[in-house]
């Protein structure tokens, strides 16, 4: 369950917070955003790194999809107040209005909306629940585009997760079906 909570917090935090911050920092002209990502998880105890890759999709104002494509498949979709987590044949749907953790994540999302576009990096404010897992979360911005280009999460156990966004495109059509929560 702890791994599930970490993935949930991480994906919701990163996708929602960074995508919404990008919309605010780059101006209100961004309606959609797509990017490839590379996630490197460094595990202190094992001295090992795990690398995952995937795609992120955002559509204003409340549709997000974070999809791992390698070395495993895992999909997280947020559409309004519904969240779907899908791995293999298992699919879970959560109503965010009835889930305390997601309400807290929503607060983080809203605080991300006030990011100044002139910043190179910022420490994300952590909720009480997030503080139980993370010491610090840092978001790095591209100085030319003012979009999030990297997020580094420092866990309390000494592990670190580093996510880099590449091939970022904005305002291109995204199929509505990518955000379906069923």
């Amino acid at each position: 369950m702890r791994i599930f909570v970490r993935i949930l917090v991480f994906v919701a935090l990163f996708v929602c917070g960074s995508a919404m911050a990008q919309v605010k920092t780059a101006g209100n002209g961004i309606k959609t955003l797509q990017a490839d990502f590379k996630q490197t998880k460094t595990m202190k105890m094992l001295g090992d790194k795990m690398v995952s890759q995937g795609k992120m999709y955002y559509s204003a104002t409340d549709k997000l999809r974070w999809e791992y494509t390698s070395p495993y498949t895992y999909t997280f979709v947020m559409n309004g107040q519904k969240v779907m987590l899908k791995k293999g044949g298992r699919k879970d749907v959560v109503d965010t209005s009835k889930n305390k953790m997601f309400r807290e994540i929503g607060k983080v999302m809203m605080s991300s909306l006030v990011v100044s576009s002139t910043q190179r990096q910022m420490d994300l404010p952590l909720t009480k629940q997030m503080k139980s897992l993370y010491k610090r979360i840092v978001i790095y911005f591209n100085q030319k585009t003012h979009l999030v280009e990297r997020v580094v999460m420092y866990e309390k156990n000494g592990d670190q997760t580093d996510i880099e966004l590449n091939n970022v495109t904005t305002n291109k059509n995204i199929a509505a079906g990518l955000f379906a929560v069923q």
Side-chain angles (χ1 to χ4, degrees), residues 34-139:
Q34 302 175 54
D36 296 328
F37 70 85
K38 177 182 171 185
Q39 174 182 308
T40 304
K41 171 93 173 179
T42 305
M43 294 175 285
K44 182 180 177 184
M45 283 186 53
L46 301 176
D48 198 11
K49 291 184 179 186
M50 293 187 330
V51 178
S52 305
Q53 296 180 342
K55 297 195 172 285
M56 179 194 101
Y57 303 89
Y58 166 80
S59 182
T61 62
D62 61 357
K63 295 176 181 66
L64 304 154
R65 181 182 180 102
W66 185 265
E67 182 176 356
Y68 289 92
T69 58
S70 171
Y72 53 87
T73 58
Y74 187 89
T75 305
F76 171 95
V77 177
M78 180 178 268
N79 190 334
Q81 292 188 337
K82 298 285 185 185
V83 170
M84 179 186 70
L85 300 154
K86 184 177 177 185
K87 183 175 183 181
R90 182 184 170 125
K91 183 174 20 173
D92 295 301
V93 176
V94 177
D95 182 344
T96 62
S97 67
K98 297 178 182 175
N99 183 295
K100 181 181 178 182
M101 180 174 55
F102 278 100
R103 281 194 305 272
E104 287 188 11
I105 291 168
K107 289 176 189 174
V108 171
M109 288 168 43
M110 297 315 285
S111 70
S112 297
L113 290 172
V114 297
V115 176
S116 167
S117 63
T118 60
Q119 290 181 297
R120 169 69 181 121
Q121 74 180 56
M122 70 168 268
D123 276 58
L124 204 63
L126 302 177
T127 65
K128 182 179 177 181
Q129 186 156 4
M130 291 167 60
K131 285 180 183 178
S132 70
L133 298 172
Y134 300 103
K135 287 191 286 189
R136 183 178 183 206
I137 298 175
V138 184
I139 298 177

Side-chain angles (χ1 to χ4, degrees), residues 149-171:
E149 65 182 3
R150 182 174 173 222
V151 174
V152 181
M153 299 182 304
Y154 301 92
E155 296 180 35
K156 287 203 168 216
N157 66 4
D159 291 356
Q160 178 178 317
T161 303
D162 190 334
I163 299 162
E164 298 175 49
L165 292 179
N166 300 295
N167 304 319
V168 177
T169 59
T170 58
N171 296 331

